[in-house]
Amino acid sequence: MAFLHGTFLPLFLHICLLSWSAWAKVKVTMHENVEVYLGDSAQIPCQYSFTDANSEPSFVMIQWFVRAAGNSSRMRIFYGDDSQQVVDNNTEYSGRIEVTSDQHGTQLNIQEVRLSDEREFFCQVNGLAAGNAEGKTHLRVFAPPEAPVIEGVLTGISVTREGLSKVASCEAQNGFPKPNITWYRNSIPLMPTPGLVNVLTLVTWDSREFYSVQSTLEYKVAKEDKDAHFSCEVSYFVPGAIRTVESNSINITVYYPTTMVELWKESPQGLVKEGDTVELRCQGDGNPPPTFIFSREQEQDVHLDSSGDVLILTQVSRKDSGIYQCRPQDTDSFTEVKGEMQLTVHYLDPVVVVPKDSEVMLKGEDLTATCNALSSLKTSTVWYKDGRQVGTGNMLHLQDATYETTGEYKCEVTVPSLPTLHTSGSVHIIVQGGPQLVGVDQEVQLEEAAGRMVNLSCEAQGYPLPSISWNIIGSQNWHEVVSRANEHMTHSVVSVKVTSDISAQCNASNDMGTEFKAFSIKAIPRVTTTAPFSPAEGSGVIIVVIILCLLLLAILGSVLYFLHKKGKIPCGRSGKQEISTKEKTTKDDIVVEMKTNTKNEEAVLLKAVNGEKKGPNDQ
Ligand SMILES: *[C@@H]1O[C@H](CO)[C@@H](O)[C@H](O)[C@H]1NC(C)=O
Ligand SMILES: *[C@@H]1O[C@H](CO)[C@@H](O)[C@H](O)[C@H]1NC(C)=O
Ligand SMILES: *[C@@H]1O[C@H](CO)[C@@H](O)[C@H](O)[C@H]1NC(C)=O
Ligand SMILES: *[C@@H]1O[C@H](CO)[C@@H](O)[C@H](O)[C@H]1NC(C)=O
């Protein structure tokens, strides 16, 4: 304000008059635009100068005007000269502006800029004789909009729909000036393209003069869009720049028809056998997933009971083998799409064994048994007898049958590729023939002290089961102590009292024949020192004893002589040996036992003589 100071006034007027005479001119310089955020304070400078620096006028009058948008009339908001500074009353700027000045210019300060301040401000300088001039500045006010809000369409959009579909809408509120909205698909801008992309924009300008922009994206949806992300971006002006803010991205649900269907077996894993529960699953590439119709190839009109995309077949049998199909229920496309698969149900029938149940064969005969089970897969057969493996393959050859051949033959049929499938059957083989006595080849010869008991044993095989009878000559005192029979064997033991030499026979017989086994027992008279004898017999006995003693003495003498000549071995040693041999055998009776051992058909004789006479292996 110094230039308006009173002390300079005489000089100022003087210059003014000089200027007047020199046609002094005033020049005003202002910015074209001043940009400011809403609510901030704005400074609008106004520079002025006089063409002839020496003719500056002594009196300068400054006035500020505004012009409302779309209205040509101007309104003064400020007046100033060297004597007064006046903000006009009753304007929208009363109390909100202030003007500062110096020699070269003046500046309008506006506080708390409003959107309505977006208008032209005029600065008019009047230097009386120096003339007058004015300039203008357009004050531009900026209000950034709120972040954009995007909303995708929640319902599914079908690709088969004709024309464009609304995909999403986006709104940017309360901005100034009007913001723009741009759409993006996977971060690539979507430009309006006929038949593909269309953008509808709705701009509202509310009472407070903010702009809100709402944009709707219309788009030709394709199947690939199921994975696409859409977003919108708002761009707006700020003082000196353009800013952008991007929305969240959204995805959309795209409906597309099924073009491919697949059918497969979900369970069980691997091969299917009869009795299994089978689960077939159908899947297509359409969205939303359609419901499927299941059928068999040979009866396509018969819809099988299924739940959703799964067909469950319980307790399958070989009849369920075949080709299965599934197709979408409501195909709106004309091309038939279907899934197909072959189901094979494997089976293993019960075995058929020939001969059936049981078979009688004659000793020495041959027989071939077969075991067959029908199966859809390769089988393997193993034969067992008494838990031992006796053959493989579906045929079992039994050659030159013996009684050992008799028994239960079990065949087990398995399916190597499906181990849970197996079955078995059996045949009972009976070998028929005459009796066969164990140890029949040798006659059994025994010696036994008179008065003792001897057990004679006889075991006979044969079919039908032989019966055993005994024929004993030389003893009346005998009885059967064991009489046993099982399905293969008859066993009889008789206990015989040895009174004199005995000849015994066991007779095993059945319908097919008879076989004998002979025993002969030599009775050994008992000799005991305490045995009483009659005097009549005594003399004879004494003579015999004397002769024997003489003989023994002679032998002993010759032996002693012989040893003496040799000059060795003291006498008595051999006698000792004899005693120990005697001590070893202390059993009273003889037991004859025939073992049924197949390897050793010889009778094993366990016998012991009562102390005086025999070694254990004598027979
Ligand atoms: C908005 O779009 C118009 C027309 O394309 C353009 O002239 C203007 O500069 C854009 N505004 C912003 C903030 O990008
Ligand atoms: C959108 O994408 C998310 C994650 O990528 C997904 O979980 C969601 O299901 C999708 N929504 C639609 C409608 O496709
Ligand atoms: C053996 O027994 C059978 C049948 O009991 C009989 O027919 C046969 O005569 C007997 N043989 C002898 C030698 O006892
Ligand atoms: C003969 O056999 C019977 C019955 O097995 C038995 O009790 C008896 O002791 C046997 N006798 C001899 C001498 O082995």
Side-chain angles (χ1 to χ4, degrees):
M1 297 262 183
F3 71 103
L4 291 171
H5 205 273
T7 51
F8 289 97
L9 191 59
L11 176 65
F12 179 80
L13 283 170
H14 171 70
I15 291 167
C16 212
L17 290 167
L18 280 175
S19 303
W20 187 266
S21 55
W23 295 99
K25 277 209 110 183
V26 61
K27 192 177 165 224
V28 171
T29 312
M30 288 180 83
H31 297 301
E32 196 183 333
N33 293 304
V34 165
E35 304 190 329
V36 65
Y37 279 111
L38 174 71
D40 282 1
S41 59
Q43 285 80 42
I44 303 173
C46 173
Q47 306 285 320
Y48 59 87
S49 57
F50 296 93
T51 45
D52 183 355
N54 298 321
S55 61
E56 271 187 29
S58 56
F59 180 84
V60 174
M61 185 173 72
I62 308 261
Q63 292 180 98
W64 283 90
F65 297 89
V66 292
R67 184 163 64 195
N71 191 340
S72 55
S73 68
R74 290 172 22 159
M75 174 174 67
R76 197 185 71 185
I77 55 171
F78 176 85
Y79 170 87
D81 62 22
D82 56 340
S83 59
Q84 52 182 338
Q85 308 279 317
V86 181
V87 174
D88 287 284
N89 282 329
N90 300 322
T91 76
E92 53 191 295
Y93 295 95
S94 310
R96 215 156 53 89
I97 54 169
E98 167 182 301
V99 175
T100 54
S101 304
D102 60 17
Q103 298 99 313
H104 306 295
T106 174
Q107 181 171 293
L108 175 68
N109 297 307
I110 310 166
Q111 280 135 36
E112 289 185 36
V113 167
R114 301 170 183 170
L115 286 185
S116 54
D117 298 337
E118 165 96 23
R119 54 176 61 174
E120 284 169 332
F121 287 81
F122 298 85
C123 169
Q124 196 178 82
V125 179
N126 198 324
L128 295 183
N132 58 52
E134 74 173 30
K136 66 172 180 182
T137 289
H138 194 145
L139 179 65
R140 297 190 181 272
V141 183
F142 298 89
E146 290 161 24
V149 175
I150 189 168
E151 233 171 79
V153 166
L154 295 177
T155 55
I157 302 164
S158 174
V159 299
T160 55
R161 214 187 113 155
E162 280 190 29
L164 305 179
S165 310
K166 180 183 166 185
V167 165
S169 65
C170 180
E171 187 167 16
Q173 285 188 319
N174 302 336
F176 192 91
K178 181 180 85 69
N180 286 351
I181 287 177
T182 313
W183 285 94
Y184 289 85
R185 178 187 179 276
N186 293 338
S187 304
I188 296 164
L190 283 172
M191 292 305 165
T193 314
L196 289 178
V197 180
N198 185 39
V199 177
L200 299 175
T201 308
L202 178 71
V203 181
T204 50
W205 199 18
D206 68 17
S207 52
R208 288 181 299 150
E209 303 190 322
F210 283 117
Y211 286 102
S212 288
V213 179
Q214 199 184 32
S215 179
T216 301
L217 174 65
E218 290 181 333
Y219 182 73
K220 177 73 185 152
V221 174
K223 186 176 171 182
E224 298 71 47
D225 295 313
K226 70 189 167 75
D227 303 316
H229 293 273
F230 292 91
S231 61
C232 63
E233 185 190 70
V234 61
S235 60
Y236 54 91
F237 291 106
V238 293
I242 292 175
R243 294 244 172 91
T244 59
V245 174
E246 205 179 325
S247 71
N248 299 327
S249 59
I250 54 134
N251 47 8
I252 56 172
T253 305
V254 180
Y255 290 156
Y256 40 92
T258 305
T259 59
M260 197 262 300
V261 176
E262 217 180 341
L263 178 64
W264 71 92
K265 172 166 64 72
E266 186 94 331
S267 75
Q269 302 257 297
L271 298 173
V272 175
K273 62 177 188 304
E274 288 192 327
D276 282 351
T277 293
V278 177
E279 197 180 313
L280 305 184
R281 189 176 288 271
C282 186
Q283 202 175 60
D285 63 348
N287 189 43
T291 48
F292 294 101
I293 295 167
F294 291 83
S295 63
R296 298 187 63 171
E297 194 192 35
Q298 64 264 42
E299 314 161 298
Q300 298 198 353
D301 304 333
V302 180
H303 295 173
L304 303 170
D305 246 5
S306 60
S307 57
D309 58 348
V310 176
L311 174 68
I312 292 173
L313 303 168
T314 52
Q315 288 276 321
V316 290
S317 75
R318 67 198 74 178
K319 283 188 251 138
D320 295 314
S321 293
I323 293 171
Y324 286 79
Q325 297 179 332
C326 69
R327 68 195 79 220
Q329 192 157 33
D330 36 21
T331 47
D332 42 0
S333 62
F334 297 106
T335 51
E336 176 88 330
V337 283
K338 68 180 177 204
E340 208 170 62
M341 71 159 286
Q342 163 83 42
L343 176 69
T344 306
V345 180
H346 293 289
Y347 56 90
L348 175 64
D349 280 347
V351 286
V352 175
V353 183
V354 177
K356 228 180 124 188
D357 303 333
S358 68
E359 177 78 1
V360 175
M361 59 191 290
L362 291 175
K363 246 174 87 179
E365 271 190 335
D366 298 343
L367 181 132
T368 297
T370 60
C371 174
N372 288 299
L374 196 64
S375 177
S376 53
L377 292 165
K378 200 167 146 30
T379 59
S380 144
T381 308
V382 179
W383 292 86
Y384 295 95
K385 179 174 188 262
D386 301 327
R388 273 192 314 117
Q389 185 179 321
V390 292
T392 55
N394 68 325
M395 290 209 273
L396 178 71
H397 302 288
L398 298 173
Q399 279 162 334
D400 191 14
T402 67
Y403 289 129
E404 314 311 322
T405 310
T406 298
E408 179 98 0
Y409 289 83
K410 190 177 171 199
C411 69
E412 277 188 6
V413 180
T414 54
V415 177
S417 53
L418 194 45
T420 46
L421 271 187
H422 55 82
T423 183
S424 66
S426 67
V427 57
H428 195 96
I429 298 290
I430 297 157
V431 177
Q432 196 175 48
Q436 187 176 314
L437 280 162
V438 174
V440 74
D441 321 339
Q442 298 137 300
E443 184 182 318
V444 181
Q445 291 182 325
L446 308 169
E447 292 186 357
E448 181 54 276
R452 299 269 176 188
M453 299 298 289
V454 166
N455 275 0
L456 303 179
S457 171
C458 226
E459 271 184 295
Q461 284 181 306
Y463 190 88
L465 202 61
S467 58
I468 294 176
S469 63
W470 292 87
N471 192 9
I472 297 165
I473 301 159
S475 177
Q476 298 301 309
N477 194 347
W478 64 273
H479 59 279
E480 197 172 29
V481 291
V482 173
S483 175
R484 242 187 349 236
N486 60 26
E487 48 185 315
H488 306 299
M489 186 83 75
T490 309
H491 187 198
S492 171
V493 177
V494 289
S495 189
V496 183
K497 177 147 193 180
V498 181
T499 48
S500 59
D501 288 358
I502 292 167
S503 133
Q505 235 186 17
C506 94
N507 173 356
S509 65
N510 66 4
D511 296 350
M512 308 294 292
T514 304
E515 197 171 64
F516 306 102
K517 181 180 165 78
F519 300 83
S520 83
I521 304 158
K522 196 168 160 46
I524 300 158
R526 265 177 200 260
V527 182
T528 49
T529 48
T530 56
F533 51 88
S534 66
E537 292 169 331
S539 57
V541 173
I542 290 163
I543 291 161
V544 173
V545 168
I546 290 165
I547 291 166
L548 280 170
C549 285
L550 284 171
L551 271 167
L552 278 167
L553 277 169
I555 293 162
L556 189 69
S558 54
V559 169
L560 283 170
Y561 174 76
F562 176 76
L563 288 171
H564 182 74
K565 265 199 116 177
K566 281 243 174 178
K568 289 196 176 150
I569 313 166
C571 51
R573 197 168 170 187
S574 58
K576 226 178 176 181
Q577 265 183 332
E578 215 170 37
I579 291 159
S580 71
T581 312
K582 280 180 201 161
E583 281 171 353
K584 242 164 103 179
T585 57
T586 50
K587 284 251 181 98
D588 282 351
D589 297 315
I590 298 167
V591 181
V592 182
E593 188 131 1
M594 310 299 177
K595 286 269 177 168
T596 61
N597 197 325
T598 52
K599 287 183 208 155
N600 180 15
E601 294 216 332
E602 263 179 288
V604 175
L605 263 177
L606 302 171
K607 70 178 181 174
V609 186
N610 69 346
E612 275 105 337
K613 292 276 151 79
K614 291 278 170 184
N617 291 326
D618 222 328
Q619 192 175 335

